[in-house]
Amino acid sequence: MITLFTTLIVIGYLSPFAYMTVTSLKDKTQIVEGSILPQSPRTFVYEDEALPIYNVPVDGEMKQWALFKKGRESSQFIDPENPAAGPIEWQGRWRQLETAMEMDIRWGNFETAWTEIEFPRLLFNTLFIAVVGLIGTLLSSICVAYAFARFPIPAKNMLFLILVGTIVLPRQVTLVPTYAFFSQINWTGTWLPLIVPHFFANAYNVFLLRQFFRQLPRELDEAAMIDGAGPFRILISVIIPQSYPAIVAVALFHFVFAWNDYFEPLIYLLGKRDLLPISVGIQEFNFVYDQQPHLIQATAIMGLALPVILFFFSQRVFMRGIVVTGVDK
Amino acid sequence: MAATDKPQALYAAAQPAKAKKMSLERSQQRWGWVFLSPWIIGFIAFTLIPMTASFIFTFTNLKLADPGATEFIGLDNYRKLFNDPDLKTSLWVTLRFAVVALPLSIVIPLSMATLLNAKNLWAKRLFRTLFYMPYMVPLISVIYIFNGFLNANTGWLNMFLDSAFGIKGPDWLFDPFWIYPALFIIGIWGTGNAMLTMLASMQTVPTELYEAARVDGADSLLIFRKITLPLISPVIFYNLVLSLIGLFRYFEIPYVIKRGTGDPGNATLFYNIHFFRTAFRFQDMGYGATLAWLIFLIAMIATVLVFASAKYWVFYAGDRD
Amino acid sequence: MSKRSLPFLLIVALVVASFVPLTTAQEPVTITWFVGLGAGGQPEQIEAQNAVVEAFNASHDDIELEIVIADNDVAYDTLSTLIASGDAPDIIGPVGIRGSNAYSGQWLDLQPIIDETGFDLSIWDQALVDFYRVEGEGLIGLPFGIFPSFLYFNRDLFDEAGLDYPPQAFGEPYADGDEWTIEKLAELGRLLTVDENGNDATSAEFDKDAIVQYGFVSQWHNDLRANATLFGAGNLVDEEGNAQIPEHWREAANWYYEGMWGDQPFMPNDPAAGSDLLAAGNPFSSGNVAMAYTHLWYTCCLGDAAESWDIGVLPSYNGTTTAKLHADTFRILAATEHPQEAFEVLTYLVTEAAPSLLQVYGGMPTDAAAQEAFFAGLDETYTQGVNWQVAVDSAQYPDNPSHEGNMPNFNKADERQAAFWSLLIGTEGLDVNAELDTLQADLQAIFDEVE
């Protein structure tokens, strides 16, 4: 019962996704033609030309004829069963006729997209940027969250508010100085601006991890401390093992973020076609003058495959994990 | 755990009690700074310098395309704030949008999470993946999807409304009223993260609590209100803070879907669109930076207020200090 | 204490290090070519540009040419960021007059370098060169190619309706003997606009909510100035520098509005143009639009849907025909650190590399011999036999003043008049004249800001 209800909602919720999928399976003509599924009219080849077949009512009988020459009030058709007879004049409006449609799925879009933007290279770039950044953000965010959760730092709350505040200022306003900074140290045109800052902790991740660490009972820390463990050892052997789910969640969030980040790779990798991630590379099909929506969606679906699979399988680990508690004050 | 690893622990153990406590505190504090240092270094290198620079911009007439001609103009940019009609419009647009979007950003993921947490739902993992999936679709693809899906003439949504209910659907993307529902629809589609955090939190609510409540004869709604909601309130709080900040930063979707023009009729002139137009299109980075700092200030105040309100409605199960 | 200050020392060191420029003396000089303000992003264009860069680098040891391509949507913002960050590219292009206005005052005056190097300008018509001389800025570009506008039409749709094609020579009447005017264009447009039942826009049964084919589109013209120029050249700035709406532009705006939102529409409005039926924003290529008013550069993007198009001349208004002209070229930013080398690249682009670049940009060369080769190249792609003489002739009817001309407070004024256009194409029940009055008042205020 509830499964049925959920299924209905999923159908509604994912209908844009269905639109995306069928778009990726059409060619441009089919998108313009506008039937929901990727279909094309059946055709009949007459004098080297493929003519669309229509259901034509003739003397109270439906004939499947190929439209040879369109006209407003009368058109010429070819009878595929008797092409030798030549064009038949039919009185009536061809626009009111139904075409005989058949499924015509363009699987080739995926192949075209794959080769045209060199998908394997984009995939490698995206994966590299995402994974190295992920390692960086995990290492640093865990440390910083640990500091906020466990140590008596003066003005800690103030610092935490500053941390959260850094995500409030629109990043476009700091774009120019940030860009100038990276350009000054010759990092533009490389992956460094996309990766290195993640080694210095990210506010969202710190927020999430701090909430989680604060929920862990201190008794275990204290027991370890009495055993003579230092803060690093406590972090590694007490805090982290209890926090795998939250850590996996942060990893997943970062992965998805890096996977789709558009603005920063765009500007820092300008002109470096070989270094682009999928999110920017996909733009090649979006040049204002001649968009290729079917190729965009084919690329997007290919790019989606890996994160979806990762998500599906990582659920087991972190579903019990992203628990946030205890925001003080 | 080998005690010999940590000389300061041994050292601390040798001290008299009071000094020991002092030094422990000091040592703890020092370690705190060590662990905090990645953020502090990163903050200064990647955030503080650009932030300070952008603050200095607010006292200049910096033009991006002509940085050589920059001059200090005192408080002129701040004076400009008071007679900028677009500023009022954009604040109003943002506020109007937020009044609906903020509750939606909590209620929708909460309902989805409740649904996905239902005991007798089959194929949970699959459903969760399906609900989370749209969040992972890249922006450019999202824009294409909704330009097609919400098109007044050939879009699926209006085709559905027409064939199922015989309603002629509105012009979602070109009508100054319907553009907001359209933006909500697009926003709801990307709500995966919030849903996920709530779902995870719901799973930690001890089942004994539910059973006890049922024994007492409470119905599902009461249980949801009295047990589930308070116990997951920290996650709701977390999402509320993020949504609030997200609203002040709302930019990408209206920017791409309406090419940053604010159409139809300024209905999508969100604050950040106004800022972006000023700084980049009109190349008035000096005033643009002033606008950015104004919204920063407003957002900080709002965030602090939400943080302050937490003690009245957020229930902390594990808090002990 | 000393331990605690360690992070701070680190930070200070890092900050100091970050401000020490790391650029070392480089040999050869790198010149950056920025593409994105106009053509240059189509796959075949990218290919041709890369080939030019390779050829240049193979033949020049002292200069390393680098190309940077930005998506048109974000090109202006990106370029501004680069300039402001002190990382400005050297050469920008192809860029039109509008793009050049957006960065007015930023372009390098080429005259001093020409005087110094003795570069021979006489390979072009004097008038052509003078086109790029701007008062107070000097010679800020060199002739490259021109992009006249005309009327693309879809033969199949005319055949289906049993109508004759538009005239292909200036001054020639339409086949029925009527003068080839805006009104005649609208009349044809209505006959070529058809609903799903096959009724055209003039029919009593016509259902304007179910249009499946449109008669006319002014394609990829998204501001008032470009569209209104069909009715003749004009200027939103009067002689005293005040805002004005020329009378014939007012008429043009009303004509377009009626054509999109009236009882017998024959042009797609904004929602219609964005629908899948019209190829989501590339209407003429969908094969569902009979006539399109646009430029020669549209040969980039006709797609597969319209294999049977040809071109005709634009109609006249009050006895005058105006075919607005684009004249994109390459420019050098004054901020360049290597003006000499940049100039060498620039001259290479507008001379040796010009034929291959113009071919992919759809830009007409200015001399006759090169034109022949250019059109022969286009015929290879479009085999149906296009009457290119129309394009050549249309270049004789340019708009003066240009629809891309400068205005005070350019970026803001330009955005405002473009906003008027998106309001017009996107809003049903608009009071066009009242909106034009508002536009004039707003423009005046925008002009006054920089007084």
Side-chain angles (χ1 to χ4, degrees):
Chain A
M1 184 48 206
I2 221 159
T3 308
L4 188 72
F5 181 62
T6 313
T7 310
L8 282 178
I9 292 187
V10 162
I11 289 172
Y13 191 65
L14 289 187
S15 54
F17 194 81
Y19 175 78
M20 170 184 182
T21 313
V22 296
T23 304
S24 75
L25 296 172
K26 290 178 176 179
D27 64 18
K28 266 187 143 177
T29 318
Q30 291 171 327
I31 294 174
V32 167
E33 196 273 326
S35 65
I36 289 179
L37 295 170
Q39 296 174 316
S40 291
R42 282 198 289 127
T43 54
F44 173 71
V45 179
Y46 178 74
E47 291 177 348
D48 294 334
E49 223 179 316
L51 307 173
I53 293 177
Y54 284 78
N55 296 325
V56 189
V58 185
D59 306 326
E61 200 187 328
M62 247 349 155
K63 301 262 189 193
Q64 298 219 317
W65 283 355
L67 181 53
F68 173 64
K69 193 169 180 308
K70 290 173 182 171
R72 275 290 160 83
E73 305 296 340
S74 71
S75 302
Q76 292 177 357
F77 287 87
I78 301 290
D79 184 356
E81 279 159 21
N82 185 12
I88 312 161
E89 191 79 18
W90 176 79
Q91 294 296 322
R93 293 177 172 180
W94 63 270
R95 281 192 177 85
Q96 293 176 338
L97 299 176
E98 292 221 343
T99 34
M101 298 299 258
E102 60 183 4
M103 289 302 275
D104 181 14
I105 298 174
R106 300 301 166 114
W107 298 109
N109 288 343
F110 286 88
E111 207 183 315
T112 311
W114 179 277
T115 46
E116 234 176 74
I117 54 170
E118 295 171 54
F119 191 78
R121 197 199 58 213
L122 294 185
L123 188 69
F124 170 78
N125 294 347
T126 317
L127 206 58
F128 187 90
I129 296 171
V131 169
V132 180
L134 186 145
I135 294 170
T137 202
L138 280 186
L139 291 178
S140 56
S141 302
I142 287 173
C143 287
V144 175
Y146 181 47
F148 274 121
R150 283 292 196 261
F151 293 93
I153 301 162
K156 193 159 78 169
N157 291 331
M158 194 62 204
L159 284 173
F160 190 70
L161 209 59
I162 292 175
L163 174 90
V164 174
T166 54
I167 53 183
V168 178
L169 195 69
R171 64 174 164 181
Q172 291 86 358
V173 73
T174 50
L175 173 67
V176 169
T178 310
Y179 188 92
F181 172 78
F182 285 129
S183 160
Q184 200 62 233
I185 55 175
N186 277 347
W187 279 12
T188 51
T190 72
W191 286 338
L192 294 173
L194 307 176
I195 292 176
V196 176
H198 293 298
F199 280 82
F200 296 93
N202 160 292
Y204 291 101
N205 299 337
V206 172
F207 194 177
L208 194 65
L209 287 172
R210 181 193 90 135
Q211 305 303 74
F212 196 87
F213 292 166
R214 292 194 70 243
Q215 190 207 13
L216 302 174
R218 261 178 210 254
E219 286 77 12
L220 284 171
D221 297 33
E222 280 157 9
M225 212 188 286
I226 288 162
D227 282 352
F232 260 117
R233 178 153 292 254
I234 292 174
L235 177 63
I236 290 165
S237 46
V238 179
I239 305 278
I240 292 181
Q242 293 184 81
S243 319
Y244 279 138
I247 291 169
V248 173
V250 164
L252 190 90
F253 288 173
H254 178 85
F255 191 78
V256 174
F257 156 80
W259 203 259
N260 285 335
D261 190 22
Y262 168 68
F263 199 63
E264 298 197 339
L266 173 83
I267 192 121
Y268 291 121
L269 298 177
L270 200 63
K272 306 284 177 195
R273 267 183 100 216
D274 293 343
L275 299 179
L276 295 182
I278 296 171
S279 58
V280 184
I282 197 173
Q283 285 285 338
E284 200 154 298
F285 301 125
N286 182 38
F287 256 92
V288 270
Y289 299 124
D290 193 20
Q291 299 124 328
Q292 313 281 344
H294 51 302
L295 296 180
I296 287 186
Q297 302 304 14
T299 315
I301 288 176
M302 292 192 295
L304 210 55
L306 191 64
V308 169
I309 292 168
L310 273 180
F311 178 80
F312 188 80
F313 287 105
S314 61
Q315 270 188 67
R316 189 193 301 276
V317 188
F318 80 93
M319 264 330 286
R320 253 160 275 116
I322 333 164
V323 184
V324 192
T325 52
V327 176
D328 51 335
K329 263 150 242 143
Chain B
M1 288 167 212
T4 45
D5 280 6
K6 299 290 158 197
Q8 63 268 70
L10 288 174
Y11 173 73
Q15 299 300 307
K18 196 175 176 192
K20 179 178 159 185
K21 192 164 185 258
M22 280 282 292
S23 100
L24 186 69
E25 187 120 308
R26 282 262 294 278
S27 139
Q28 282 284 332
Q29 215 179 70
R30 204 160 57 214
W31 276 105
W33 287 110
V34 169
F35 284 114
L36 208 55
S37 61
W39 173 62
I40 299 206
I41 295 171
F43 176 73
I44 291 175
F46 303 119
T47 311
L48 191 63
I49 295 174
M51 265 175 101
T52 314
S54 76
F55 188 62
I56 295 171
F57 292 171
T58 67
F59 303 104
T60 68
N61 62 355
L62 173 64
K63 214 179 142 206
L64 283 188
D66 194 4
T70 308
E71 288 167 4
F72 279 95
I73 54 167
L75 293 175
D76 280 8
N77 285 324
Y78 290 90
R79 267 177 224 122
K80 224 175 182 174
L81 289 174
F82 293 98
N83 44 32
D84 174 3
D86 283 351
L87 171 63
K88 261 185 251 159
T89 314
S90 64
L91 275 175
W92 174 229
V93 165
T94 310
L95 188 72
R96 236 176 2 176
F97 185 73
V99 165
V100 185
L102 198 60
L104 275 185
S105 73
I106 301 299
V107 172
I108 303 253
L110 187 62
S111 335
M112 282 196 223
T114 312
L115 193 64
L116 290 181
N117 198 36
K119 218 188 227 161
N120 32 19
L121 177 70
W122 297 345
K124 278 190 181 141
R125 274 219 274 176
L126 180 67
F127 276 121
R128 283 170 194 160
T129 308
L130 290 178
F131 273 106
Y132 190 66
M133 196 163 59
Y135 178 74
M136 301 191 250
V137 177
L139 180 70
I140 168 72
S141 161
V142 170
I143 297 304
Y144 269 93
I145 292 172
F146 283 99
N147 265 328
F149 190 78
L150 296 176
N151 187 279
N153 306 335
T154 57
W156 281 17
L157 186 56
N158 280 3
M159 269 158 54
F160 171 75
L161 289 176
D162 186 40
S163 57
F165 306 107
I167 303 172
K168 185 178 185 297
D171 199 347
W172 297 96
L173 299 172
F174 293 91
D175 185 282
F177 172 77
W178 288 104
I179 183 78
Y180 293 111
L183 290 173
F184 295 146
I185 292 174
I186 302 173
I188 287 166
W189 217 50
T191 192
N193 262 7
M195 175 202 77
L196 214 60
T197 45
M198 292 191 188
L199 182 57
S201 173
M202 281 179 188
Q203 297 207 321
T204 62
V205 178
T207 40
E208 306 88 70
L209 280 178
Y210 287 132
E211 279 151 19
R214 278 199 200 287
V215 170
D216 289 347
D219 63 5
S220 307
L221 197 66
L222 193 70
I223 290 177
F224 183 74
R225 267 182 42 216
K226 294 286 177 195
I227 297 176
T228 313
L229 270 187
L231 282 176
I232 65 162
S233 62
V235 184
I236 296 181
F237 173 77
Y238 169 81
N239 281 309
L240 185 69
V241 172
L242 293 193
S243 293
L244 189 72
I245 293 175
L247 278 168
F248 286 116
R249 295 175 55 123
Y250 193 55
F251 173 72
E252 262 130 352
I253 288 169
Y255 175 71
V256 189
I257 213 154
K258 301 310 287 183
R259 299 179 213 106
T261 57
D263 287 335
N266 276 346
T268 62
L269 191 68
F270 289 93
Y271 194 92
N272 269 355
I273 301 266
H274 176 44
F275 150 73
F276 190 81
R277 271 209 318 185
T278 306
F280 286 86
R281 292 275 166 82
F282 306 158
Q283 306 204 342
D284 188 354
M285 185 45 112
Y287 182 53
T290 316
L291 287 171
W293 274 86
L294 178 68
I295 198 69
F296 177 66
L297 202 71
I298 297 174
M300 273 318 270
I301 292 171
T303 309
V304 170
L305 286 179
V306 174
F307 265 81
S309 80
K311 63 169 170 261
Y312 299 107
W313 63 276
V314 182
F315 174 71
Y316 309 105
D319 234 13
R320 54 175 279 231
D321 51 357
Chain C
M1 268 327 254
S2 67
K3 263 192 186 169
R4 200 191 295 179
S5 54
L6 190 69
F8 293 102
L9 279 176
L10 267 173
I11 291 155
V12 171
L14 200 89
V15 172
V16 171
S18 69
F19 282 99
V20 178
L22 292 179
T23 33
T24 45
Q26 277 171 331
E27 196 70 40
V29 169
T30 303
I31 295 296
T32 312
W33 169 18
F34 182 92
V35 178
L37 301 190
Q42 293 290 117
E44 64 278 8
Q45 294 171 342
I46 294 176
E47 213 173 288
Q49 285 159 181
N50 286 340
V52 165
V53 171
E54 252 169 58
F56 182 90
N57 286 337
S59 56
H60 293 74
D61 294 334
D62 51 335
I63 303 174
E64 177 77 20
L65 182 58
E66 247 186 34
I67 187 165
V68 164
I69 302 171
D71 185 356
N72 197 290
D73 283 341
V74 292
Y76 283 90
D77 315 328
T78 308
L79 181 58
S80 298
T81 305
L82 292 179
I83 294 174
S85 309
D87 213 10
D90 304 282
I91 293 187
I92 317 287
V95 52
I97 302 167
R98 195 201 158 271
S100 137
N101 288 332
Y103 296 95
S104 84
Q106 300 295 301
W107 305 111
L108 186 72
D109 179 8
L110 304 175
Q111 195 62 53
I113 305 184
I114 290 171
D115 295 343
E116 201 179 307
T117 57
F119 180 80
D120 184 13
L121 280 179
S122 70
I123 55 172
W124 293 292
D125 264 5
Q126 180 71 31
L128 268 173
V129 175
D130 287 344
F131 184 81
Y132 297 96
R133 280 188 208 282
V134 173
E135 178 109 24
E137 293 187 58
L139 182 65
I140 56 171
L142 293 176
F144 178 53
I146 53 173
F147 306 76
S149 63
F150 36 78
L151 195 68
Y152 289 79
F153 64 88
N154 188 327
R155 289 175 184 161
D156 285 352
L157 304 190
F158 276 82
D159 290 346
E160 193 260 352
L163 292 169
D164 287 299
Y165 302 150
Q168 296 188 302
F170 283 85
E172 202 175 89
Y174 185 64
D176 61 4
D178 287 354
E179 212 184 318
W180 182 233
T181 60
I182 300 271
E183 292 77 35
K184 191 70 195 174
L185 175 99
E187 186 190 316
L188 287 185
R190 294 200 160 93
L191 292 171
L192 288 159
T193 300
V194 188
D195 71 11
E196 60 188 7
N197 291 314
N199 299 307
D200 68 46
T202 62
S203 144
E205 288 96 57
F206 178 67
D207 177 4
K208 69 173 181 173
D209 290 327
I211 300 176
V212 294
Q213 176 185 310
Y214 287 88
F216 174 76
V217 66
S218 176
Q219 180 147 349
W220 293 343
H221 292 150
N222 40 24
D223 63 7
L224 169 65
R225 300 199 297 174
N227 285 290
T229 300
L230 182 62
F231 280 57
N235 198 340
L236 293 172
V237 192
D238 72 9
E239 275 135 32
E240 276 93 54
N242 287 319
Q244 63 166 356
I245 310 287
E247 204 40 52
H248 61 289
W249 281 15
R250 196 174 274 273
E251 217 165 303
N254 280 289
W255 181 78
Y256 279 107
Y257 191 78
E258 182 65 23
M260 291 177 198
W261 300 101
D263 293 331
Q264 298 186 354
F266 61 99
M267 297 180 222
N269 50 37
D270 209 355
S275 70
D276 283 344
L277 173 74
L278 298 186
N282 188 352
F284 188 73
S285 82
S286 72
N288 292 326
V289 178
M291 296 178 278
Y293 161 42
T294 190
H295 288 261
L296 182 56
W297 41 247
Y298 186 49
T299 49
C300 69
C301 306
L302 282 142
D304 335 306
E307 279 157 3
S308 58
W309 56 272
D310 197 353
I311 57 179
V313 300
L314 289 169
S316 65
Y317 172 77
N318 278 351
T320 317
T321 308
T322 310
K324 71 192 180 75
L325 189 69
H326 282 165
D328 293 15
T329 187
F330 302 92
R331 295 167 197 271
I332 300 179
L333 278 174
T336 181
E337 283 167 28
H338 310 287
Q340 301 284 353
E341 289 82 358
F343 183 72
E344 197 174 335
V345 176
L346 182 83
T347 52
Y348 182 84
L349 291 178
V350 298
T351 56
E352 271 163 84
S356 68
L357 289 176
L358 286 172
Q359 194 72 60
V360 287
Y361 293 157
M364 193 164 85
T366 45
D367 63 291
Q371 272 176 17
E372 208 166 299
F374 168 73
F375 288 123
L378 280 180
D379 281 334
E380 274 171 34
T381 319
Y382 301 108
T383 51
Q384 70 267 37
V386 176
N387 186 346
W388 296 115
Q389 190 57 39
V390 172
V392 178
D393 294 347
S394 295
Q396 303 305 313
Y397 296 82
D399 51 326
N400 186 21
S402 165
H403 64 286
E404 296 186 299
N406 212 345
M407 292 181 277
N409 205 352
F410 181 79
N411 289 307
K412 215 166 181 176
D414 196 50
E415 171 105 1
R416 179 62 188 88
Q417 59 100 16
F420 166 78
W421 195 255
S422 63
L423 189 70
L424 185 144
I425 61 178
T427 320
E428 196 166 5
L430 191 74
D431 183 344
V432 176
N433 286 317
E435 286 300 332
L436 280 168
D437 295 338
T438 316
L439 170 64
Q440 185 175 353
D442 287 356
L443 283 175
Q444 187 65 50
I446 290 168
F447 294 169
D448 290 344
E449 268 178 34
V450 292
E451 275 305 289

